Amino acid sequence: MSSSPSSSSSSPPPTSGDSPPSNLPLKKIPGDYGLPFLGPIRDRYDYFYNQGKDEFFQSRIKKYNSTIFRTNMPPGPFNARNPKVIAVLDAVSFPVLFDTTKVEKKNVLDGTFFPSTAFTGGHRVCAYLDPSEPNHAVFKRWFLSLLAARHNKFIPLFQNSLSHLFANVEAELSKNGKADFNMLSDDTSFSFVFTLFCDRSPSDTKIGSDGSNLFTQWLFFQLAPLITLGLKDLPNFLEDFLLHTFPLPFFPVKSAYKRLYDGFYISTSKILDEAEKLGIQRDEACHNLVFMAGFNAYGGMKTLFPALIKWVATAGESLHRRLANEIRTVVESEGGVTFSALDKMSLLKSVVYEAMRIEPPVPFQYGKAKVDMVVHNHDAAYEIKKGEMIFGYQPFATKDGRVFENPEEFVGDRFVGDGEKLLKYVYWSNGRETDEPTAENKQCPAKDVVVLLARVLLVEFFLRYDTLTAEVRTLLLGSSVTITSLTKADSTG
């Protein structure tokens, strides 16, 4: 569904952050918050149960004839002290959330509530820091240096991980006639991330084979106020009370987190030595490393990889043949899967970007206005006051019908050729795809690594297989994919 009141295509809009065009009228932001306490609960029930996320926003866009409006965002009472937000749901206004001269990013990673620091060893880790806070740049530079030092490991290490993944998928298919891609992908993702930073397999530590489950438990208890289980036998009011009314405590996952922390602490002594040289306390450095590896890296891969396979699987055999042909031709001519080879696969790159556009791994962005400002969408300008919370639902911004033709459709070659000009409207990493992470911004430090791994996943898949079929559905943190068939390369079927 288009995130714009008018779904007709037009020329790409001006870059957000520029001064609004002089011909745009200045309007009052529509919408309201309802009665105290009752208004946020009403909106929470609409969001989770009565309407669902997409209809919640789409109905308000239609009601106010605006992609910028006031509303309450979950979880509301008693998890969030102030659930009031100004929603920006189009490609023009959304990037104001990336401008840290205009918005504050302190403690807004999860929105209008802030999980207990007990989940991170008593520390406010880098993801919750605003760039104006001194420690932010220190941690961000450390993260960027860690990734740069492992640059040459990304492809071969992930290839090895994928060999195990596909072998397990084939084994499950042979045994059960279908394979749960999410479960197998989660295990692969955790093992890759841990081995990348720790130079050993998690099975050689006290974490054993439980890493993905331990991280998932830890993530669930922090993000429970933002999800619904979708269980038909569980009454809505009971789920709402259990998940959304009060913060879930840390103690049920304390032992799980300790196993993760101890596994990283023991295995990353050299990395932690480097952190101490930068003035970071060893304990705080390790908690930040666990968060980056678990919340950012593993959490991102947990949502991205199933979404990528889902959209490729449902796109059909025509796209599969084109991808397989491009991948195999380039790999043969380049003599292997290299950075240079990946860069020459224009269709592959487009498919990955299109998956990130249509189903961004992180769907929400928040920022508190640092100054009075004027934000505009396609049709009007609106004044936002200092201290007001701004919220963006990313899938609406990246499916803006005034920017993208057929925005709800997965178009594999959307970003090939002249289509590359639209990459500046692909928002998925707390920034534009055309931007780069720095110590001074909030863009994901592993942004380019994520894109790389997604490309390698498809390359390794289509070097082995010609096509696939899958059953897909919506899960707690994204898409669920069950692979139902694989056709091996050079197979007669």
Side-chain angles (χ1 to χ4, degrees):
M1 61 190 65
S2 170
S3 65
S4 183
S6 170
S7 60
S8 62
S9 297
S10 65
S11 300
T15 300
S16 180
D18 292 347
S19 299
S22 58
N23 62 335
L24 289 180
L26 183 64
K27 293 185 177 181
K28 179 182 178 181
I29 298 176
D32 63 81
Y33 303 114
L35 295 173
F37 188 78
L38 295 178
I41 293 179
R42 176 204 62 194
D43 285 345
R44 187 168 78 199
Y45 267 78
D46 281 348
Y47 179 88
F48 285 119
Y49 309 115
N50 300 332
Q51 296 177 307
K53 287 197 297 289
D54 285 8
E55 180 59 27
F56 178 88
F57 297 119
Q58 190 65 30
S59 65
R60 285 155 178 76
I61 289 174
K62 184 177 181 180
K63 178 180 178 180
Y64 303 125
N65 193 34
S66 174
T67 54
I68 299 177
F69 54 84
R70 297 182 183 276
T71 188
N72 297 292
M73 276 301 293
F78 295 95
N79 260 303
R81 183 178 302 175
N82 183 2
K84 299 176 181 179
V85 304
I86 296 169
V88 291
L89 304 179
D90 60 86
V92 182
S93 62
F94 188 90
V96 71
L97 291 161
F98 308 146
D99 188 345
T100 54
T101 67
K102 294 182 178 180
V103 298
E104 181 183 75
K105 291 287 190 172
K106 181 178 180 180
N107 297 341
V108 299
L109 177 69
D110 300 319
T112 58
F113 80 105
F114 175 49
S116 168
T117 56
F119 288 98
T120 50
H123 300 283
R124 286 177 59 238
V125 294
C126 184
Y128 291 105
L129 301 179
D130 185 75
S132 64
E133 297 180 76
N135 281 349
H136 180 272
V138 176
F139 279 113
K140 193 76 175 287
R141 290 192 188 99
W142 180 50
F143 292 155
L144 291 170
S145 69
L146 291 180
L147 294 169
R150 285 152 182 78
H151 180 261
N152 292 327
K153 291 185 176 182
F154 296 146
I155 293 178
L157 183 59
F158 196 51
Q159 286 178 307
N160 183 61
S161 298
L162 290 174
S163 294
H164 294 291
L165 170 62
F166 295 135
N168 290 332
V169 168
E170 289 186 28
E172 275 211 13
L173 268 173
S174 177
K175 180 181 178 181
N176 303 319
K178 58 184 180 180
D180 183 341
F181 180 80
N182 289 61
M183 180 185 70
L184 299 174
S185 176
D186 285 355
D187 290 340
T188 297
S189 298
F190 174 78
S191 180
F192 167 77
V193 170
F194 188 89
T195 305
L196 178 67
F197 290 110
C198 301
D199 293 320
R200 67 175 70 180
S201 169
S203 60
D204 296 331
T205 72
K206 65 190 300 182
I207 294 173
S209 61
D210 298 329
S212 62
N213 288 332
L214 297 175
F215 261 140
T216 299
Q217 293 173 40
W218 176 70
L219 287 169
F220 174 80
F221 271 71
Q222 294 174 77
L223 299 177
L226 303 179
I227 65 176
T228 176
L229 300 176
L231 301 177
K232 295 181 180 179
D233 295 332
L234 183 64
N236 291 342
F237 76 88
L238 183 56
E239 181 195 83
D240 188 64
F241 177 78
L242 293 174
L243 295 186
H244 309 139
T245 308
F246 302 100
L248 295 187
F250 172 62
F251 73 84
V253 293
K254 182 178 180 179
S255 61
Y257 182 72
K258 189 175 189 309
R259 283 178 65 187
L260 291 167
Y261 176 85
D262 289 347
F264 275 89
Y265 190 89
I266 294 170
S267 306
T268 56
S269 57
K270 291 183 179 180
I271 290 177
L272 299 180
D273 288 343
E274 295 173 16
E276 285 190 309
K277 292 177 183 177
L278 295 173
I280 307 171
Q281 292 185 356
R282 200 174 188 85
D283 175 67
E284 186 175 7
C286 191
H287 285 294
N288 270 271
L289 183 60
V290 173
F291 191 91
M292 182 182 72
F295 199 106
N296 299 133
Y298 169 74
M301 294 161 77
K302 182 180 181 66
T303 56
L304 173 61
F305 291 164
L308 180 60
I309 295 298
K310 161 192 164 181
W311 289 107
V312 169
T314 56
E317 288 191 40
S318 176
L319 178 64
H320 301 169
R321 286 194 297 270
R322 293 171 62 199
L323 276 171
N325 180 64
E326 178 184 75
I327 289 167
R328 294 168 193 175
T329 299
V330 174
V331 168
E332 182 178 1
S333 65
E334 292 290 311
V337 181
T338 62
F339 289 104
S340 175
L342 293 170
D343 194 51
K344 293 179 180 179
M345 301 177 188
S346 58
L347 178 60
L348 170 72
K349 291 192 289 185
S350 178
V351 165
V352 170
Y353 290 138
E354 178 70 343
M356 290 176 165
R357 178 197 72 84
I358 202 166
E359 191 172 337
V362 181
F364 309 110
Q365 292 289 341
Y366 286 85
K368 184 175 289 186
K370 287 183 174 179
V371 295
D372 292 346
M373 69 180 85
V374 174
V375 174
H376 66 289
N377 59 13
H378 298 280
D379 305 305
Y382 303 88
E383 188 174 8
I384 295 176
K385 296 293 186 181
K386 178 180 179 181
E388 292 190 295
M389 182 72 85
I390 307 171
F391 158 78
Y393 183 47
Q394 210 152 264
F396 272 46
T398 55
K399 289 188 283 188
D400 187 333
R402 303 275 280 272
V403 175
F404 296 104
E405 187 176 355
N406 301 320
E408 295 291 333
E409 181 183 348
F410 181 87
V411 181
D413 56 4
R414 187 185 295 274
F415 299 104
V416 173
D418 286 344
E420 288 188 21
K421 296 176 182 177
L422 292 172
L423 284 177
K424 62 183 177 180
Y425 302 113
V426 176
Y427 316 134
W428 66 272
S429 60
N430 209 348
R432 297 177 183 271
E433 174 53 37
T434 51
D435 294 339
E436 293 299 330
T438 69
E440 289 72 37
N441 66 25
K442 290 299 292 182
Q443 191 162 30
C444 172
K447 169 230 177 189
D448 293 333
V449 181
V450 172
V451 173
L452 172 70
L453 298 181
R455 292 175 183 172
V456 174
L457 171 60
L458 291 186
V459 166
E460 293 298 315
F461 181 89
F462 283 106
L463 288 176
R464 290 170 169 80
Y465 311 105
D466 288 330
T467 189
L468 78 157
T469 59
E471 298 171 352
V472 300
R473 60 188 178 90
T474 300
L475 203 61
L476 295 180
L477 297 175
S479 293
S480 169
V481 177
T482 300
I483 295 178
T484 52
S485 73
L486 290 172
T487 303
K488 288 191 174 183
D490 299 324
S491 170
T492 58

